[in-house]
């Protein structure tokens, strides 16, 4: 079993990666954590695939276990769903001596993290991520949030889990579009900080060929995130590197009302546009954008939008919560595996799209 420890000034927690981990989890959690009751928060898809069995396994070893299931998808990352969960937790008389598990993708992880950060001003929780995106990225680093009608992740908190348990076997049931979505984040990690990871992705050529190396892929991504988060938990500096491709990506998602491009697709487009531009401006080694494009396409992601309206995308970026006055931080790569933060004037943004 692979293990990574995240060490923050105020908290330390372990991330475990192992194929088949889900099967031995109830005993492991019972032995290693001190708690009375257990609540598993999941979504309806994951519940029927893994949740029901997991609940039964906990009950079988004598743990008083409750299950709360929400509708799959972004629609559940809302204040109203969070409120409903608070009420269920009260009904089950959950307190700080109990334990919550987030079993699902990034939606369940963000929602559960937010609920646990705020319920009784903080109750302990564990992440069991079940999508690529959540296994390589969102379950680590402590960002939790829900959406408002006006935008995504507008209400949230930094709140870390007690542990993260990753079983790559569950990815076998994931739909192909979510595989591609998660691969956008994997490609991001290669681009910003791990040339070797990028080469592995390049040589594999597609996700099928990557399957037997998935533990290593997850490990590499999380270890990069660990290193960055340990240095800059609250994203005042180096953590911004994780936003490579995301500034343009978020604007694309938002501009198309979140129904034309998925997050991963929008990030892939963002990574390619910014790299093509920075290469043109002489800030990125020649041919880097071509390589980025090839890898993006290998993992069935788009790298361009037809007839992009740059001004509208820029207007949307101006509303991004990461914008500061007339300045914005953009993330560029000098070459594959090396990234930097550049603060530019909003007026210069057009050069990068
Ligand atoms: N907190 C962070 O640092 C962070 C980082 C990146 C993204 N996010 C958030 O993550 C969310 C997206 O997460 P996601 O892409 O995991 O989407 P998701 O949670 O909506 O999961 C995608 C779909 O896959 C299904 N699913 C999950 N696991 C499955 C499995 N093993 N087999 C079959 N189906 C399965 C779900 O039911 C859902 O329908 C967004 O809300 C985004 O804002 C958070």
């Amino acid at each position: 079993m692979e293990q990574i420890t995240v060490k923050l000034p105020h908290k330390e927690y372990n991330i475990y990666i192992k194929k088949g981990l889900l099967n031995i989890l109830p005993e492991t959690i019972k032995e290693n954590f001190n708690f009375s009751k257990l609540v598993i928060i999941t979504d309806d898809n994951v519940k029927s695939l893994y949740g029901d069995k997991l609940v039964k396994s906990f009950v079988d070893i004598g743990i008083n276990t409750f299950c709360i299931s929400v509708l799959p998808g972004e629609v559940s990352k809302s204040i109203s769903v969070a409120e409903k969960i608070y009420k269920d937790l009260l009904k089950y008389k959950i307190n700080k001596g109990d334990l919550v598990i987030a079993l699902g993708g990034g939606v369940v992880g963000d929602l559960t993290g937010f609920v646990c950060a705020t319920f009784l001003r903080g109750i302990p929780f564990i992440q069991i991520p079940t999508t690529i995106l959540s296994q390589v990225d969102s379950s680590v680093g402590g960002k939790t949030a829900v959406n408002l009608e006006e935008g995504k992740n507008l209400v949230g908190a930094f709140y870390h889990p007690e542990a993260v348990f990753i079983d790559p076997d569950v990815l076998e049931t994931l739909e192909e579009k979510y595989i591609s979505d998660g691969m956008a984040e994997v490609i991001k990690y290669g681009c910003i900080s791990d040339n070797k990871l990028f080469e592995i992705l390049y040589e594999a050529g597609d996700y099928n060929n990557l399957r037997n190396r998935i533990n290593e892929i997850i490990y590499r991504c999380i270890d990069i995130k660990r290193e960055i988060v340990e240095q800059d938990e609250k994203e005042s500096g180096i953590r911004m590197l994780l936003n490579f491709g995301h500034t343009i990506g978020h604007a694309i998602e938002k501009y198309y009302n979140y129904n034309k491009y998925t997050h991963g697709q929008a990030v892939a487009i963002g990574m390619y546009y910014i790299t093509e531009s920075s290469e043109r401006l002489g800030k990125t080694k020649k041919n880097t954008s071509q390589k980025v494009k090839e890898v993006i396409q290998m993992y069935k992601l788009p790298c361009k939008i037809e007839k992009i309206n740059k001004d509208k995308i820029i207007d949307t970026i101006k509303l991004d919560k990461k914008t500061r006055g007339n300045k914005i931080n953009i993330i560029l790569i000098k070459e594959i595996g090396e990234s930097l933060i550049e603060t530019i004037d909003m007026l210069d943004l057009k050069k990068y799209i």
Side-chain angles (χ1 to χ4, degrees), residues 8 137 141-143 158 160 188 225 228-244 246-247 250 320-324 329 331 341:
L8 299 164
D137 192 351
K143 278 194 186 177
F158 285 96
H160 296 268
K188 173 193 82 179
K225 187 153 186 187
I228 290 176
V229 168
E230 282 180 350
Q231 292 173 65
D232 175 25
E233 185 195 351
K234 300 275 169 74
E235 202 174 309
S236 52
I238 189 181
R239 188 165 178 170
M240 284 187 247
L241 294 177
L242 298 174
N243 295 330
F244 175 57
H246 282 60
T247 304
H250 284 152
D320 193 296
K321 61 181 179 298
K322 295 197 170 79
T323 305
R324 301 276 180 275
N329 294 313
I331 313 307
I341 304 164

Side-chain angles (χ1 to χ4, degrees), residues 45-172:
N45 293 336
V46 180
K47 179 176 182 288
S48 58
L49 285 165
Y50 306 103
D52 290 335
K53 191 170 164 220
L54 196 62
V55 171
K56 185 173 178 309
S57 313
F58 276 111
V59 171
D60 286 349
I61 57 169
I63 294 174
N64 190 3
T65 309
F66 301 94
C67 183
I68 299 171
S69 187
V70 301
L71 288 176
E74 205 60 38
V75 65
S76 286
K77 253 179 75 172
S78 71
I79 294 275
S80 60
V81 173
E83 188 182 7
K84 192 182 166 301
I85 297 176
Y86 296 139
K87 293 191 171 171
D88 284 342
L89 295 177
L90 286 173
K91 193 168 72 191
Y92 304 145
K93 301 192 168 39
I94 298 303
N95 61 40
K96 289 174 191 285
D98 300 313
L99 183 65
V100 174
I101 286 180
L103 174 73
V107 163
V108 166
D110 280 12
L111 171 70
T112 304
F114 177 73
V115 163
C116 292
T118 46
F119 186 71
L120 308 180
R121 298 201 185 90
I123 57 172
F125 84 115
I126 282 174
Q127 289 267 19
I128 306 181
T130 61
T131 60
I132 295 200
L133 181 136
S134 55
Q135 295 195 344
V136 300
D137 192 351
S138 66
S139 61
V140 176
K143 278 194 186 177
T144 74
V146 292
N147 305 327
L148 297 180
E149 250 174 52
E150 289 77 0
K152 277 184 65 172
N153 300 322
L154 289 178
V155 182
F158 285 96
Y159 193 68
H160 296 268
E162 300 304 305
V164 182
F165 292 96
I166 299 177
D167 181 351
D169 277 354
V170 301
L171 301 179
E172 290 303 316

Side-chain angles (χ1 to χ4, degrees), residues 190-319:
C191 287
I192 61 168
S193 148
D194 190 344
N195 183 26
K196 173 86 197 306
L197 171 62
F198 192 91
E199 285 306 320
I200 294 172
L201 300 180
Y202 195 82
E203 276 158 28
D206 66 20
Y207 182 74
N208 265 337
N209 292 331
L210 211 61
R211 274 200 163 87
N212 58 357
R213 297 186 78 167
I214 196 71
N215 279 31
E216 181 191 351
I217 302 293
I218 296 168
Y219 185 96
R220 279 180 174 272
C221 294
I222 291 190
D223 206 39
I224 296 167
K225 187 153 186 187
R226 172 202 59 77
E227 203 183 336
I228 290 176
V229 168
E230 282 180 350
Q231 292 173 65
D232 175 25
E233 185 195 351
K234 300 275 169 74
E235 202 174 309
S236 52
I238 189 181
R239 188 165 178 170
M240 284 187 247
L241 294 177
L242 298 174
N243 295 330
F244 175 57
H246 282 60
T247 304
I248 297 176
H250 284 152
I252 290 171
E253 275 184 281
K254 190 158 191 224
Y255 178 66
Y256 289 101
N257 278 326
Y258 300 98
N259 56 26
K260 183 155 179 168
Y261 295 98
T262 64
H263 178 70
Q265 289 172 335
V267 167
I269 295 167
M271 290 191 289
Y272 178 62
Y273 274 137
I274 200 91
T275 308
E276 198 194 30
S277 313
S278 60
E279 196 176 311
R280 201 176 348 98
L281 295 168
K283 298 180 182 218
T284 299
K285 196 172 151 188
K286 280 206 167 24
N287 294 323
T288 305
S289 60
Q290 176 59 26
K291 267 203 121 175
V292 171
K293 181 181 179 176
E294 283 173 39
V295 168
I296 284 173
Q297 288 174 337
M298 283 172 181
Y299 293 91
K300 299 194 170 64
L301 290 158
C303 55
K304 279 206 155 194
I305 293 180
E306 272 172 41
K307 295 194 200 127
I308 186 170
N309 185 331
K310 287 189 184 185
D311 292 326
K312 293 255 164 68
I313 296 291
I314 289 168
D315 286 347
T316 315
I317 290 176
K318 284 182 188 160
L319 301 173

